[in-house]
């Protein structure tokens, strides 16, 4: 079993090799090194060590994805598992209906989709399409992201594609430090369900909404395609790779950053700020009130 010092040193090596903002690495190493020299991590068990190191990382570099994580289940470091957790993530999505918790038609012909995770575009396309097909003829849509914990940037782009008329909308870019490349994300040309156009879209957020869930809210808001209601989100915008340090400890390293084409920046550290601030548990009720005012009354 490696010592706490060895665990921290390996975590710092991973951060040094991949963190998306290399200019911040000397400050990170100096701060953690000072705490290490002061004995701050001596005698800590695994969970306490992860909590302490993460807190110190956040103090010097408030990046919500930069963390040391404890997992109760042992994590294999075998080459077969060296996929950044992708296989486990895909299995989780399959078990959870590709992240779609519920689809409903509410009073007033308002569609509701509750999303807990953002599936990959490749595996999630049919499920996303099925959800959008069910709300295709609604008069307004509520996309509930209040408990969305994140997922795939490709999947976020696919969800957003339904709210734009064609494949000509440049949504955002992701710059990867390791490869020094920038990938563009555009709306998708071909979708398995009708696009949702010319009708109100309301996105619900909370302090739990994170990562790819924030991506959807931020992108639709920045493009003027949705009204965001609820609470400011957690503020994690950097795609991240997990590295196994011990059987139970992983370091998560943001290796890329998102750049929105409208704002030129992202939601890292600040979250998605709602257009209509309201406690998260009241956001759906407020969205339905707003929708009822926007939907043209039907002839009696």
């Amino acid at each position: 079993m490696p010592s706490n010092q060895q665990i921290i040193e390996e975590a710092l090596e991973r951060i040094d090799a991949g963190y998306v903002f290399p200019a911040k690495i000397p400050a990170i190493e100096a701060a953690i090194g000072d705490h290490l020299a002061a004995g701050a991590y001596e005698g800590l068990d695994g969970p306490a060590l992860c909590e302490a190191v993460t807190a110190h990382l956040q103090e010097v570099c408030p990046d919500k994805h930069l963390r040391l994580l404890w997992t109760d289940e042992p994590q294999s470091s075998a080459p077969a598992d060296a996929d950044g957790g992708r296989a486990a993530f895909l299995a989780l999505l399959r078990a959870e209906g590709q992240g779609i918790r519920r689809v409903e038609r509410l009073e007033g012909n308002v569609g509701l989709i509750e999303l807990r995770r953002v599936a990959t575009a490749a595996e999630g396309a049919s499920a996303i399409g099925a959800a959008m097909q069910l709300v295709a003829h609604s008069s307004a849509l509520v996309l509930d992201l209040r408990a969305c914990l994140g997922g795939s940037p490709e999947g976020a782009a696919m969800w957003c594609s339904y709210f734009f008329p064609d494949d000509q909308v440049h949504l955002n870019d992701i710059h990867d430090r390791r490869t020094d490349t920038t990938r563009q994300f555009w709306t998708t040309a071909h979708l398995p369900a009708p696009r949702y156009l010319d009708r109100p879209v309301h996105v619900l957020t909370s302090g739990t909404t994170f990562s790819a869930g924030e991506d959807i809210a931020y992108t639709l808001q920045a493009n003027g395609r949705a009204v965001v209601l609820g609470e400011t989100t957690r503020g994690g915008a950097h795609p991240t790779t997990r590295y196994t340090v011990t059987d139970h400890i992983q370091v998560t390293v943001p290796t890329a950053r998102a750049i929105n084409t409208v704002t030129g920046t992202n939601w890292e550290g600040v979250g998605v700020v709602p257009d209509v601030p309201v406690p998260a548990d009241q956001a759906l009720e407020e969205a339905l009130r707003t929708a009822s005012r926007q939907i043209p009354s039907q002839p009696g």
Side-chain angles (χ1 to χ4, degrees):
M1 177 70 180
S3 67
N4 284 357
Q5 179 169 339
Q6 290 172 320
I7 291 169
I8 291 168
E9 288 175 349
E10 182 170 344
L12 289 175
E13 286 179 10
R14 294 292 192 177
I15 293 170
D16 181 67
Y19 186 48
V20 66
F21 295 115
K24 296 184 178 181
I25 292 172
I28 292 171
E29 292 178 335
I32 299 300
D34 287 346
H35 287 294
L36 192 60
Y41 308 123
E42 291 180 6
L44 296 181
D45 62 10
L49 175 66
C50 290
E51 183 177 348
V53 173
T54 297
H56 294 151
L57 287 170
Q58 297 290 309
E59 285 175 3
V60 67
C61 185
D63 186 323
K64 297 296 179 63
H65 280 108
L66 188 63
R67 295 172 290 177
L68 209 60
L69 295 178
W70 172 267
T71 59
D72 290 331
E73 292 295 323
Q75 304 297 309
S76 172
S77 58
D81 295 322
D83 63 351
R86 180 176 174 80
F89 177 62
L90 293 177
L92 176 65
L93 287 168
R94 294 178 196 126
E96 296 187 354
Q98 299 299 331
I100 300 168
R101 180 60 177 260
R102 62 173 172 154
V103 183
E104 290 186 28
R105 184 71 64 86
L106 304 178
E107 185 177 349
N109 196 30
V110 176
L112 170 68
I113 298 175
E114 181 182 354
L115 196 61
R116 294 294 180 91
R117 298 184 190 274
V118 181
T120 65
E123 290 220 359
S126 59
I128 296 169
M132 291 303 299
Q133 184 70 60
L134 289 172
V135 301
H137 300 292
S138 60
S139 301
L141 178 65
V142 175
L143 187 58
D144 187 351
L145 303 176
R146 289 176 292 180
C148 186
L149 300 176
S152 162
E154 295 88 356
M158 173 162 279
W159 275 105
C160 289
S161 294
Y162 278 93
F163 306 106
F164 297 96
D166 50 38
D167 60 351
Q168 299 301 303
V169 181
H170 185 184
L171 300 171
N172 56 51
D173 297 329
I174 292 183
H175 177 75
D176 191 300
R177 178 202 162 186
R178 296 166 300 179
T179 58
D180 193 26
T181 58
T182 298
R183 179 179 177 183
Q184 296 183 344
F185 288 82
W186 292 71
T187 47
T188 302
H190 303 289
L191 297 169
R195 296 179 190 270
Y196 198 91
L197 307 175
D198 305 319
R199 283 160 290 171
V201 178
H202 305 84
V203 175
L204 311 185
T205 60
S206 75
T208 299
T209 311
F210 195 53
S211 195
E214 295 176 283
D215 185 349
I216 296 171
Y218 189 90
T219 299
L220 294 178
Q221 181 188 58
N223 282 275
R225 189 57 192 92
V227 174
V228 177
L229 306 94
E231 300 169 348
T232 300
T233 61
R234 281 175 64 191
H238 296 153
T240 301
T241 301
R242 292 190 178 196
Y243 299 100
T244 298
V245 179
T246 74
D247 289 348
H248 293 277
I249 294 177
Q250 296 178 318
V251 57
T252 65
V253 182
T255 53
R257 62 188 178 96
I259 306 165
N260 181 270
T261 55
V262 175
T263 66
T265 183
N266 59 45
W267 58 95
E268 180 64 43
V270 296
V272 181
V273 180
D275 302 297
V276 182
V278 63
D281 60 0
Q282 300 174 25
L284 177 56
E285 183 179 334
E286 181 62 31
L288 294 176
R289 279 197 295 265
T290 302
S292 68
R293 294 193 295 266
Q294 295 174 325
I295 298 172
S297 58
Q298 300 298 317

